[in-house]
Amino acid sequence: MFDLTGKRALVTGASGGIGREIAKALAKAGATVALSGTRVEALEAVAAEIGAGSPILPCNLSDLAAVDQLVPQAEAAMGGLDILINNAGVTRDNLFMRMKDEEWDQVIAVNLTAAFHLNRAVLRGMMKQRFGRIIGISSVVGVVGNPGQGNYAASKAGLIGMNKALAYEVASRNITVNSIAPGFIASAMTDELNDKQRESILAKVPAGRLGTAEEVAASAVFLASDAAGYITGHTLNVNGGMVML
């Protein structure tokens, strides 16, 4: 049902966490996956897990000149592009009163502006082949907000809004555009929480546990597959019931 054999995918932020698991899951489903990020050694490790045939395309998403070369590089390496996963993101947390312009600008540049450039860049090829899957990894913070993360919340809410608008524009060309909004996901950061911090987080999650990167990756495989061909402009909330829309 979720066979991606013959599909070609580009995953940003593929060097760790959710991005790594998405890349692995897409490859397991049969896709050829180009891996992008800033840490080349980490990308090489992911490529080694996936196996031969995964192009490594380092890119700093705060450098728009480099961003504008990423899709052409992926298309050249794989002979085209069917699936774009905008996963890369950064945080520069601070309260609004204390937030510096550069903290705002850095987060918006990487999390939203780079995604806009990548979305725009894949459209010509996807429209020509009359198939495409664009998936943005947003966050529960982009849905409900979070104190100290005004810049991050704005970027992730903006990603959802951008994808909805784009979904309208390209639906007739068999291109779907969706978002995934993960909640609290187990990671190296959550491993360092003390018992009190962990209890405080889990009290907000009806499922009573943290999610896994593999669960987010499974959602991405579904949205990339033919099984989700009639789903577009949607935000899939993978959050254990934190937000029920």
Side-chain angles (χ1 to χ4, degrees):
M1 183 181 295
F2 305 138
D3 183 15
L4 299 178
T5 300
K7 302 303 183 187
R8 301 149 300 184
L10 170 62
V11 180
T12 67
S15 57
I18 290 173
R20 178 182 67 239
E21 295 304 325
I22 289 176
K24 289 167 57 179
L26 292 172
K28 186 176 180 179
T32 301
V33 185
L35 308 169
S36 186
T38 56
R39 297 182 293 130
V40 176
E41 288 187 7
L43 293 174
E44 290 174 342
V46 178
E49 286 189 74
I50 291 175
S54 294
I56 295 173
L57 305 173
C59 183
N60 180 351
L61 295 188
S62 64
D63 179 354
L64 289 181
V67 171
D68 287 338
Q69 293 303 311
L70 184 54
V71 167
Q73 289 171 352
E75 290 175 334
M78 297 185 292
L81 192 59
D82 305 289
I83 302 163
L84 170 65
I85 311 289
N86 281 313
N87 167 73
V90 298
T91 57
R92 298 290 185 269
D93 296 351
N94 214 338
L95 295 175
F96 253 84
M97 288 181 64
R98 299 174 183 169
M99 187 171 291
K100 300 175 182 177
D101 288 352
E102 54 265 32
E103 291 172 332
W104 175 272
D105 292 341
Q106 288 169 359
V107 171
I108 297 298
V110 172
N111 297 5
L112 185 57
T113 304
F116 158 66
H117 278 247
L118 293 173
N119 282 358
R120 184 176 61 183
V122 301
L123 291 179
R124 187 176 300 277
M126 289 183 176
M127 292 178 76
K128 184 176 181 179
Q129 67 195 17
R130 298 190 70 83
F131 179 89
R133 298 286 188 265
I134 298 173
I135 301 168
I137 307 303
S138 181
S139 168
V140 66
V141 171
V143 179
V144 299
N146 198 40
Q149 290 193 304
N151 48 4
Y152 186 74
S155 70
K156 292 302 187 177
L159 185 65
I160 290 173
M162 175 176 66
N163 284 353
K164 287 179 180 290
L166 179 56
Y168 271 108
E169 296 183 15
V170 298
S172 65
R173 298 298 184 98
N174 196 32
I175 302 170
T176 66
V177 189
N178 293 292
S179 305
I180 298 172
F184 289 119
I185 304 299
S187 65
M189 185 179 297
T190 59
D191 288 343
E192 297 178 2
L193 297 174
N194 60 41
D195 290 343
K196 185 175 182 180
Q197 291 171 321
R198 182 175 292 270
E199 289 174 5
S200 175
I201 288 175
L202 294 183
K204 303 175 184 177
V205 184
R209 66 173 178 85
L210 299 176
T212 68
E214 291 84 354
E215 288 170 320
V216 179
S219 301
V221 171
F222 165 64
L223 289 175
S225 73
D226 288 340
Y230 203 53
I231 299 173
T232 195
H234 181 68
T235 302
L236 185 55
N237 291 288
V238 185
N239 58 36
M242 275 186 68
V243 178
M244 302 185 189
L245 299 176

